């Protein structure tokens, strides 16, 4: 335990030295500010690190992570990250990245009471309800779980598109695409769900905000 803690600090020193060896101005440049083109909304799962799996460097990805990569409209932390990313950093892409084998999605499939987190998981259960016709038809449990992960990402992409923050950016003709991905922890490969939004035209009428 103690060794692991010490090792982390040693690793940091090593990483600094290696980074400077490759690029003596690495930290100097980063200290000048950030202009990441991408906002990543992912799961807190330790196996799905945002930067590593897309080969991104420090300064390239603005990140928000929570259990099961949820976009919940009353979540001040998510909204603040989104507002800053869209309105200050002017990111060009937002990726919601779920992953197969997600513990949060798995918990939503079951009925076990866990604790406070039940109230977070409940939002994922809503996704099941919206897609229950399709999901209930899948008899293979693993396949149903995998598909649940995918439709959960799909709903979070939709939830992003519903926000006033995103719709205002589109109204102002800001270049901004929202994508849905699923990462496979078994082989490291990302599946693009190809549900990209770049305007609010495909949002059901009731969600389209009249911003003029
Ligand atoms: Co997860």
């Amino acid at each position: 335990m103690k060794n692991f803690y010490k090792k982390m600090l040693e690793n940091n020193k090593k990483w600094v030295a290696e980074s400077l060896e490759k690029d003596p101005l690495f930290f100097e440049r980063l200290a000048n500010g950030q202009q990441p083109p991408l906002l990543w909304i992912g799961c807190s799962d330790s196996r799905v690190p945002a930067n590593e799996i897309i080969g991104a460097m420090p300064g390239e990805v603005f990140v928000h992570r929570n259990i099961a990569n949820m976009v919940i409209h009353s979540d001040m932390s998510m909204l603040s990250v989104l507002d800053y990313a869209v309105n200050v950093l002017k990111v060009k892409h937002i990726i919601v990245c779920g992953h197969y084998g997600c513990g949060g999605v798995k918990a939503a499939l079951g009925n076990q009471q866990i604790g406070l987190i039940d109230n977070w998981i409940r939002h994922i259960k809503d996704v099941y309800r919206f897609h229950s016709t399709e999901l209930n038809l899948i008899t293979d449990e693993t396949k149903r779980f995998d598909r649940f992960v995918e439709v959960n990402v799909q709903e979070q992409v939709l939830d992003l598109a519903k926000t006033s923050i995103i719709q205002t950016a589109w109204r102002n003709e800001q270049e901004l695409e929202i994508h849905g991905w699923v990462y496979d922890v078994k082989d490291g490969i990302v599946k693009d769900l190809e549900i990209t939004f770049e305007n609010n035209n495909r949002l059901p009428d009731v969600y389209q905000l009249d911003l003029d």
Side-chain angles (χ1 to χ4, degrees):
M1 186 84 163
K2 194 140 202 164
N3 284 344
F4 176 68
Y5 181 75
K6 269 194 189 155
K7 189 96 185 15
M8 287 191 292
L9 289 167
E10 281 163 22
N11 285 347
N12 170 253
K13 286 201 187 83
K14 234 194 286 171
W15 175 72
V16 171
E18 282 166 9
S19 302
L20 286 173
E21 205 179 290
K22 274 187 253 167
D23 177 2
L25 297 176
F26 186 65
F27 295 104
E28 220 174 290
R29 232 186 2 259
L30 285 172
N32 284 331
Q34 59 169 338
Q35 227 180 353
L38 167 67
L39 166 62
W40 175 278
I41 298 179
C43 184
S44 298
D45 194 302
S46 62
R47 299 165 297 177
V48 197
N51 282 56
E52 279 93 332
I53 67 179
I54 55 169
M57 295 294 286
E60 292 182 326
V61 191
F62 202 60
V63 175
H64 179 79
R65 289 169 72 179
N66 62 39
I67 288 170
N69 39 271
M70 299 300 286
V71 174
I72 293 169
H73 290 164
S74 53
D75 176 358
M76 276 303 289
S77 176
M78 183 280 296
L79 288 175
S80 303
V81 168
L82 182 65
D83 182 44
Y84 193 74
V86 171
N87 292 320
V88 180
L89 299 172
K90 310 256 190 231
V91 296
K92 302 261 188 287
H93 300 271
I94 303 176
I95 291 169
V96 176
C97 187
H99 66 103
Y100 298 120
C102 183
V105 175
K106 178 130 204 213
L109 266 176
N111 297 91
Q112 200 196 338
Q113 198 202 332
I114 304 164
L116 175 102
I117 198 177
D118 299 331
N119 303 286
W120 186 262
I121 300 296
R122 199 229 73 221
H123 292 280
I124 316 171
K125 289 181 181 286
D126 290 345
V127 172
Y128 195 98
R129 183 163 55 86
F130 299 153
H131 295 269
S132 57
T133 311
E134 180 191 350
L135 292 171
N136 286 337
L137 283 172
I138 307 172
T139 47
D140 183 283
E141 263 179 53
T142 311
K143 282 189 182 136
R144 194 193 315 143
F145 180 20
D146 286 353
R147 184 61 189 146
F148 190 15
V149 166
E150 292 175 0
V151 294
N152 185 50
V153 168
Q154 191 182 312
E155 288 299 329
Q156 307 321 304
V157 167
L158 207 55
D159 282 339
L160 273 178
K162 292 173 199 167
T163 62
S164 56
I165 296 168
I166 302 270
Q167 290 195 53
T168 302
W170 282 332
R171 194 269 319 265
N172 296 337
E173 288 177 353
Q174 197 169 319
E175 192 189 324
L176 179 61
E177 293 184 352
I178 314 173
H179 315 274
W181 285 8
V182 178
Y183 175 80
D184 196 333
V185 288
K186 293 200 294 295
D187 59 18
I189 291 172
V190 157
K191 175 179 179 180
D192 184 353
L193 296 178
E194 294 177 11
I195 47 169
T196 299
F197 277 77
E198 49 198 9
N199 55 51
N200 66 358
N201 297 349
R202 263 161 49 232
L203 273 185
D205 269 359
V206 73
Y207 295 116
Q208 290 192 17
L209 298 175
D210 193 2
L211 294 159
D212 292 321

